[in-house]
Amino acid sequence: MECAPGLELRKFVAPEFVFGLGASELAAQYAQNLGARRPMLVTDQGVVDIGWAGMVEASLRAAGLDCVVFSNVTANPKDYEVMAAAEIYRDKGCDALVGLGGGSAMDCAKGVGVVQANGGNILDYEGVDTVPRALPPLVCVPTTSGSSADVSQFAIISDTKRKVKIALVSKMLVPDVSLIDPRLTATMSPDLTANTGLDALTHAIEAYVSNASAPVTDLFALEAVRLVGKHLPQAVADPSDMEARTQMCLASLDAGLAFSNAILGAVHGMAHSLGGLLDLPHGQCNAILLAPVVRFNFHSAPLRYRDIAVALGCDVPHGADNEVLDALDGALRSLNKSVGMGQTLGDLGVTREEIPRLAELAMQDPCLLTNPRKPSKADIEAIYESAL
């Protein structure tokens, strides 16, 4: 029996989440509820230096939990970092994970859980639905608003030998709970605020035009676009504006619930290639590539991009398609510049000589499977070229 559009059988995955000021203070309570006695706190040195790691560690210890801290996580988390943490987890007899930080720390925590539950090397689990056994209990506490690793079924890990980012996609990677506390995002620098906020915008746009989108994901995606367009400039301009921070946390949550279920597209496939080969900032790569990919994709999903343009505040409800495309392209580039992200790939050190290899890696990324227009390697090379 054929179904009307939007009525097909679909699966939607999401963790329990607690949203609001003070949510991070519940980490010990949730770890205990999940049966933890010796949790591993996975974080990074920046979060340690700011003081958030010490705060969460103290709360875990105050609750009688024998916390083990692993803070050797870097941006674009590396395979060997995951394996080092997994060895400590096993040797110390840990029984749960608390991921505290941005996407890198939370993805590393997911990787540790995969290895602990399933054995082998984290690189063995590249791909979709390759994780057979459930992870140990996982509590996520995000300190950025953009990666959405705290609510997604994704983990992105850098394969340091192949110099490529691999994607793990499995419902096993959905955390047990996310504790979203806007206070913890107030210590982000303006650059990090912009990078992560534009990552959230990219998640939302790619989820909305994905060929795996659905009515539920559409609701979250469009609202995330609206929230980022309205609140990101203020969050960058005034880091202490807690209303702007809260709204950006909500945007990240909405975008994560959208893309975790609708998946992504060419922007992320190409950004993963850049991050794996050249170790470049993920959010910044997304910001640079978003407008060129929108221009490439537009005529494969013009009505959906029209919705996105309206959500960003473009006055184009009755405009011709080319007018909508120009307005949306302009709005995206203007937003980038307004938050200090007007760079090109050339500004980040990418050269024309590297483009063929970058395109080759991007073509292998699973995110391209849900892009609304199927690109060739030559198409990907042309998009990279236009972003130099």
Side-chain angles (χ1 to χ4, degrees):
M1 182 179 73
E2 291 189 8
C3 295
L7 298 181
E8 302 92 346
L9 190 64
R10 293 294 302 271
K11 177 183 72 172
F12 189 89
V13 295
E16 179 179 358
F17 59 86
V18 181
F19 186 100
L21 300 177
S24 60
E25 298 170 12
L26 301 175
Q29 176 184 321
Y30 272 92
Q32 285 181 312
N33 290 347
L34 292 165
R37 295 187 176 183
R38 180 172 288 179
M40 170 177 273
L41 177 61
V42 180
T43 189
D44 63 62
Q45 192 58 47
V47 176
V48 172
D49 293 342
I50 290 168
W52 298 133
M55 179 192 74
V56 173
E57 180 186 1
S59 72
L60 293 168
R61 294 193 183 282
L65 300 177
D66 186 12
C67 179
V68 174
V69 179
F70 181 84
S71 60
N72 294 329
V73 182
T74 59
N76 300 316
K78 316 300 186 289
D79 47 6
Y80 60 80
E81 294 168 355
V82 171
M83 296 309 296
E87 183 177 1
I88 294 170
Y89 184 103
R90 183 184 64 249
D91 290 348
K92 296 291 187 180
C94 296
D95 56 11
L97 291 152
V98 178
L100 171 68
S104 296
M106 292 186 285
D107 280 353
C108 184
K110 291 181 180 183
V112 173
V114 169
V115 173
Q116 173 62 24
N118 296 276
N121 190 286
I122 189 58
L123 301 179
D124 299 336
Y125 300 97
E126 179 178 4
V128 179
D129 293 333
T130 61
V131 182
R133 297 188 183 89
L135 278 60
L138 172 60
V139 177
C140 281
V141 187
T143 62
T144 65
S145 46
S147 79
S148 306
D150 55 305
V151 296
S152 83
Q153 59 176 325
F154 279 70
I156 307 298
I157 306 295
S158 293
D159 179 336
T160 53
K161 289 186 178 179
R162 289 192 295 155
K163 292 189 175 181
V164 62
K165 281 186 173 184
I166 66 164
L168 286 67
V169 188
S170 169
K171 65 181 179 181
M172 299 299 185
L173 299 177
V174 178
D176 291 284
V177 64
S178 172
L179 305 176
I180 306 167
D181 189 341
R183 294 180 312 167
L184 271 59
T185 70
T187 52
M188 285 193 293
S189 67
D191 281 354
L192 185 56
T193 301
N195 279 335
T196 55
L198 292 170
D199 191 17
L201 178 65
T202 307
H203 289 155
I205 291 175
E206 293 212 289
Y208 192 69
V209 301
S210 164
N211 58 34
S213 64
V216 173
T217 60
D218 288 349
L219 289 171
F220 288 112
L222 275 186
E223 179 63 2
V225 172
R226 187 188 69 81
L227 289 170
V228 173
K230 183 175 181 180
H231 296 287
L232 179 58
Q234 177 61 17
V236 172
D238 183 1
S240 65
D241 187 328
M242 198 49 60
E243 175 62 18
R245 291 293 189 187
T246 299
Q247 295 303 318
M248 283 305 302
C249 285
L250 186 57
S252 179
L253 171 62
D254 288 343
L257 293 173
F259 91 79
S260 181
N261 293 280
I263 318 303
L264 295 161
V267 178
H268 269 80
M270 296 174 70
H272 290 158
S273 175
L274 285 161
L277 187 65
L278 304 176
D279 202 25
L280 295 175
H282 176 68
Q284 194 169 17
C285 292
N286 280 342
I288 294 169
L289 291 167
L290 182 55
V293 170
V294 166
R295 189 164 285 279
F296 172 80
N297 282 340
F298 184 88
H299 293 291
S300 295
L303 295 179
R304 293 206 153 238
Y305 280 114
R306 185 181 295 265
D307 291 342
I308 290 166
V310 172
L312 274 178
C314 300
D315 185 17
V316 291
H318 306 296
D321 283 351
N322 285 339
E323 293 173 337
V324 175
L325 173 55
D326 289 342
L328 178 55
D329 182 277
L332 293 172
R333 295 179 188 276
S334 177
L335 179 60
N336 281 359
K337 290 180 180 178
S338 74
V339 297
M341 289 290 128
Q343 301 91 341
T344 66
L345 292 182
D347 294 332
L348 300 186
V350 179
T351 66
R352 282 181 172 81
E353 291 72 23
E354 290 164 326
I355 286 178
R357 178 58 176 159
L358 288 167
E360 179 183 341
L361 294 173
M363 288 295 293
Q364 300 169 21
D365 194 284
C367 290
L368 265 66
L369 296 174
T370 44
N371 195 66
R373 178 181 174 188
K374 185 177 180 179
S376 66
K377 183 172 181 284
D379 291 329
I380 296 296
E381 290 180 357
I383 296 170
Y384 276 131
E385 182 84 19
S386 70
L388 283 178

